[in-house]
mmCIF file with all atom_site columns, all heavy atoms in Angstrom:
data_model
loop_
_atom_site.group_PDB
_atom_site.id
_atom_site.type_symbol
_atom_site.label_atom_id
_atom_site.label_alt_id
_atom_site.label_comp_id
_atom_site.label_asym_id
_atom_site.label_entity_id
_atom_site.label_seq_id
_atom_site.pdbx_PDB_ins_code
_atom_site.Cartn_x
_atom_site.Cartn_y
_atom_site.Cartn_z
_atom_site.occupancy
_atom_site.B_iso_or_equiv
_atom_site.pdbx_formal_charge
_atom_site.auth_seq_id
_atom_site.auth_comp_id
_atom_site.auth_asym_id
_atom_site.auth_atom_id
_atom_site.pdbx_PDB_model_num
ATOM 1  N N   . PHE A 1 34 ? -9.792  -15.132 7.563  1.00 0.00 ? 34 PHE A N   1
ATOM 2  C CA  . PHE A 1 34 ? -8.538  -15.184 8.317  1.00 0.00 ? 34 PHE A CA  1
ATOM 3  C C   . PHE A 1 34 ? -8.377  -13.946 9.186  1.00 0.00 ? 34 PHE A C   1
ATOM 4  O O   . PHE A 1 34 ? -8.040  -14.043 10.374 1.00 0.00 ? 34 PHE A O   1
ATOM 5  C CB  . PHE A 1 34 ? -7.344  -15.320 7.363  1.00 0.00 ? 34 PHE A CB  1
ATOM 6  C CG  . PHE A 1 34 ? -6.010  -15.155 8.045  1.00 0.00 ? 34 PHE A CG  1
ATOM 7  C CD1 . PHE A 1 34 ? -5.614  -16.030 9.037  1.00 0.00 ? 34 PHE A CD1 1
ATOM 8  C CD2 . PHE A 1 34 ? -5.163  -14.111 7.704  1.00 0.00 ? 34 PHE A CD2 1
ATOM 9  C CE1 . PHE A 1 34 ? -4.387  -15.880 9.676  1.00 0.00 ? 34 PHE A CE1 1
ATOM 10 C CE2 . PHE A 1 34 ? -3.948  -13.949 8.332  1.00 0.00 ? 34 PHE A CE2 1
ATOM 11 C CZ  . PHE A 1 34 ? -3.555  -14.841 9.321  1.00 0.00 ? 34 PHE A CZ  1
ATOM 12 N N   . VAL A 1 35 ? -8.643  -12.767 8.599  1.00 0.00 ? 35 VAL A N   1
ATOM 13 C CA  . VAL A 1 35 ? -8.479  -11.506 9.330  1.00 0.00 ? 35 VAL A CA  1
ATOM 14 C C   . VAL A 1 35 ? -9.364  -11.470 10.576 1.00 0.00 ? 35 VAL A C   1
ATOM 15 O O   . VAL A 1 35 ? -8.962  -10.957 11.623 1.00 0.00 ? 35 VAL A O   1
ATOM 16 C CB  . VAL A 1 35 ? -8.776  -10.302 8.402  1.00 0.00 ? 35 VAL A CB  1
ATOM 17 C CG1 . VAL A 1 35 ? -8.946  -9.011  9.183  1.00 0.00 ? 35 VAL A CG1 1
ATOM 18 C CG2 . VAL A 1 35 ? -7.657  -10.145 7.372  1.00 0.00 ? 35 VAL A CG2 1
ATOM 19 N N   . GLU A 1 36 ? -10.569 -12.061 10.483 1.00 0.00 ? 36 GLU A N   1
ATOM 20 C CA  . GLU A 1 36 ? -11.479 -12.082 11.626 1.00 0.00 ? 36 GLU A CA  1
ATOM 21 C C   . GLU A 1 36 ? -10.891 -12.828 12.824 1.00 0.00 ? 36 GLU A C   1
ATOM 22 O O   . GLU A 1 36 ? -11.229 -12.555 13.966 1.00 0.00 ? 36 GLU A O   1
ATOM 23 C CB  . GLU A 1 36 ? -12.809 -12.742 11.228 1.00 0.00 ? 36 GLU A CB  1
ATOM 24 C CG  . GLU A 1 36 ? -13.699 -11.833 10.404 1.00 0.00 ? 36 GLU A CG  1
ATOM 25 C CD  . GLU A 1 36 ? -14.993 -12.519 10.001 1.00 0.00 ? 36 GLU A CD  1
ATOM 26 O OE1 . GLU A 1 36 ? -15.137 -13.737 10.248 1.00 0.00 ? 36 GLU A OE1 1
ATOM 27 O OE2 . GLU A 1 36 ? -15.852 -11.835 9.425  1.00 0.00 ? 36 GLU A OE2 1
ATOM 28 N N   . LYS A 1 37 ? -9.987  -13.774 12.550 1.00 0.00 ? 37 LYS A N   1
ATOM 29 C CA  . LYS A 1 37 ? -9.400  -14.573 13.629 1.00 0.00 ? 37 LYS A CA  1
ATOM 30 C C   . LYS A 1 37 ? -8.036  -14.048 14.081 1.00 0.00 ? 37 LYS A C   1
ATOM 31 O O   . LYS A 1 37 ? -7.382  -14.659 14.924 1.00 0.00 ? 37 LYS A O   1
ATOM 32 C CB  . LYS A 1 37 ? -9.255  -16.028 13.181 1.00 0.00 ? 37 LYS A CB  1
ATOM 33 C CG  . LYS A 1 37 ? -10.595 -16.703 12.933 1.00 0.00 ? 37 LYS A CG  1
ATOM 34 C CD  . LYS A 1 37 ? -10.400 -18.151 12.565 1.00 0.00 ? 37 LYS A CD  1
ATOM 35 C CE  . LYS A 1 37 ? -11.725 -18.831 12.287 1.00 0.00 ? 37 LYS A CE  1
ATOM 36 N NZ  . LYS A 1 37 ? -12.521 -19.075 13.469 1.00 0.00 ? 37 LYS A NZ  1
ATOM 37 N N   . LEU A 1 38 ? -7.601  -12.928 13.498 1.00 0.00 ? 38 LEU A N   1
ATOM 38 C CA  . LEU A 1 38 ? -6.283  -12.389 13.835 1.00 0.00 ? 38 LEU A CA  1
ATOM 39 C C   . LEU A 1 38 ? -6.197  -12.007 15.312 1.00 0.00 ? 38 LEU A C   1
ATOM 40 O O   . LEU A 1 38 ? -7.089  -11.372 15.852 1.00 0.00 ? 38 LEU A O   1
ATOM 41 C CB  . LEU A 1 38 ? -5.972  -11.135 13.008 1.00 0.00 ? 38 LEU A CB  1
ATOM 42 C CG  . LEU A 1 38 ? -5.532  -11.340 11.564 1.00 0.00 ? 38 LEU A CG  1
ATOM 43 C CD1 . LEU A 1 38 ? -5.210  -10.003 10.929 1.00 0.00 ? 38 LEU A CD1 1
ATOM 44 C CD2 . LEU A 1 38 ? -4.340  -12.256 11.472 1.00 0.00 ? 38 LEU A CD2 1
ATOM 45 N N   . ASP A 1 39 ? -5.110  -12.390 15.918 1.00 0.00 ? 39 ASP A N   1
ATOM 46 C CA  . ASP A 1 39 ? -4.824  -11.966 17.288 1.00 0.00 ? 39 ASP A CA  1
ATOM 47 C C   . ASP A 1 39 ? -3.394  -11.439 17.293 1.00 0.00 ? 39 ASP A C   1
ATOM 48 O O   . ASP A 1 39 ? -2.437  -12.194 17.450 1.00 0.00 ? 39 ASP A O   1
ATOM 49 C CB  . ASP A 1 39 ? -4.975  -13.139 18.259 1.00 0.00 ? 39 ASP A CB  1
ATOM 50 C CG  . ASP A 1 39 ? -4.780  -12.713 19.706 1.00 0.00 ? 39 ASP A CG  1
ATOM 51 O OD1 . ASP A 1 39 ? -4.523  -11.513 19.938 1.00 0.00 ? 39 ASP A OD1 1
ATOM 52 O OD2 . ASP A 1 39 ? -4.876  -13.568 20.597 1.00 0.00 ? 39 ASP A OD2 1
ATOM 53 N N   . VAL A 1 40 ? -3.266  -10.135 17.084 1.00 0.00 ? 40 VAL A N   1
ATOM 54 C CA  . VAL A 1 40 ? -1.947  -9.513  16.957 1.00 0.00 ? 40 VAL A CA  1
ATOM 55 C C   . VAL A 1 40 ? -1.104  -9.746  18.204 1.00 0.00 ? 40 VAL A C   1
ATOM 56 O O   . VAL A 1 40 ? 0.093   -9.970  18.133 1.00 0.00 ? 40 VAL A O   1
ATOM 57 C CB  . VAL A 1 40 ? -2.094  -7.991  16.675 1.00 0.00 ? 40 VAL A CB  1
ATOM 58 C CG1 . VAL A 1 40 ? -0.745  -7.318  16.653 1.00 0.00 ? 40 VAL A CG1 1
ATOM 59 C CG2 . VAL A 1 40 ? -2.822  -7.779  15.356 1.00 0.00 ? 40 VAL A CG2 1
ATOM 60 N N   . VAL A 1 41 ? -1.745  -9.716  19.359 1.00 0.00 ? 41 VAL A N   1
ATOM 61 C CA  . VAL A 1 41 ? -1.022  -9.871  20.618 1.00 0.00 ? 41 VAL A CA  1
ATOM 62 C C   . VAL A 1 41 ? -0.381  -11.248 20.726 1.00 0.00 ? 41 VAL A C   1
ATOM 63 O O   . VAL A 1 41 ? 0.661   -11.420 21.355 1.00 0.00 ? 41 VAL A O   1
ATOM 64 C CB  . VAL A 1 41 ? -1.982  -9.648  21.810 1.00 0.00 ? 41 VAL A CB  1
ATOM 65 C CG1 . VAL A 1 41 ? -1.258  -9.803  23.132 1.00 0.00 ? 41 VAL A CG1 1
ATOM 66 C CG2 . VAL A 1 41 ? -2.615  -8.272  21.720 1.00 0.00 ? 41 VAL A CG2 1
ATOM 67 N N   . ALA A 1 42 ? -0.996  -12.240 20.070 1.00 0.00 ? 42 ALA A N   1
ATOM 68 C CA  . ALA A 1 42 ? -0.544  -13.625 20.222 1.00 0.00 ? 42 ALA A CA  1
ATOM 69 C C   . ALA A 1 42 ? 0.495   -14.053 19.187 1.00 0.00 ? 42 ALA A C   1
ATOM 70 O O   . ALA A 1 42 ? 0.758   -15.241 19.048 1.00 0.00 ? 42 ALA A O   1
ATOM 71 C CB  . ALA A 1 42 ? -1.741  -14.560 20.164 1.00 0.00 ? 42 ALA A CB  1
ATOM 72 N N   . ILE A 1 43 ? 1.092   -13.118 18.469 1.00 0.00 ? 43 ILE A N   1
ATOM 73 C CA  . ILE A 1 43 ? 2.095   -13.507 17.472 1.00 0.00 ? 43 ILE A CA  1
ATOM 74 C C   . ILE A 1 43 ? 3.370   -13.927 18.207 1.00 0.00 ? 43 ILE A C   1
ATOM 75 O O   . ILE A 1 43 ? 4.118   -13.097 18.704 1.00 0.00 ? 43 ILE A O   1
ATOM 76 C CB  . ILE A 1 43 ? 2.455   -12.350 16.521 1.00 0.00 ? 43 ILE A CB  1
ATOM 77 C CG1 . ILE A 1 43 ? 1.224   -11.773 15.866 1.00 0.00 ? 43 ILE A CG1 1
ATOM 78 C CG2 . ILE A 1 43 ? 3.423   -12.835 15.444 1.00 0.00 ? 43 ILE A CG2 1
ATOM 79 C CD1 . ILE A 1 43 ? 1.485   -10.518 15.071 1.00 0.00 ? 43 ILE A CD1 1
ATOM 80 N N   . THR A 1 44 ? 3.597   -15.222 18.284 1.00 0.00 ? 44 THR A N   1
ATOM 81 C CA  . THR A 1 44 ? 4.792   -15.706 18.973 1.00 0.00 ? 44 THR A CA  1
ATOM 82 C C   . THR A 1 44 ? 5.624   -16.606 18.076 1.00 0.00 ? 44 THR A C   1
ATOM 83 O O   . THR A 1 44 ? 6.763   -16.914 18.411 1.00 0.00 ? 44 THR A O   1
ATOM 84 C CB  . THR A 1 44 ? 4.402   -16.496 20.234 1.00 0.00 ? 44 THR A CB  1
ATOM 85 O OG1 . THR A 1 44 ? 3.516   -17.548 19.852 1.00 0.00 ? 44 THR A OG1 1
ATOM 86 C CG2 . THR A 1 44 ? 3.726   -15.595 21.248 1.00 0.00 ? 44 THR A CG2 1
ATOM 87 N N   . GLU A 1 45 ? 5.064   -17.049 16.952 1.00 0.00 ? 45 GLU A N   1
ATOM 88 C CA  . GLU A 1 45 ? 5.803   -17.962 16.092 1.00 0.00 ? 45 GLU A CA  1
ATOM 89 C C   . GLU A 1 45 ? 5.877   -17.414 14.672 1.00 0.00 ? 45 GLU A C   1
ATOM 90 O O   . GLU A 1 45 ? 5.109   -16.542 14.285 1.00 0.00 ? 45 GLU A O   1
ATOM 91 C CB  . GLU A 1 45 ? 5.124   -19.339 16.073 1.00 0.00 ? 45 GLU A CB  1
ATOM 92 C CG  . GLU A 1 45 ? 3.693   -19.312 15.553 1.00 0.00 ? 45 GLU A CG  1
ATOM 93 C CD  . GLU A 1 45 ? 3.013   -20.669 15.628 1.00 0.00 ? 45 GLU A CD  1
ATOM 94 O OE1 . GLU A 1 45 ? 3.719   -21.683 15.637 1.00 0.00 ? 45 GLU A OE1 1
ATOM 95 O OE2 . GLU A 1 45 ? 1.778   -20.699 15.665 1.00 0.00 ? 45 GLU A OE2 1
#
Side-chain angles (χ1 to χ4, degrees):
F34 171 62
V35 166
E36 284 179 353
K37 295 183 181 288
L38 282 183
D39 184 0
V40 175
V41 180
I43 306 172
T44 56
E45 60 184 336

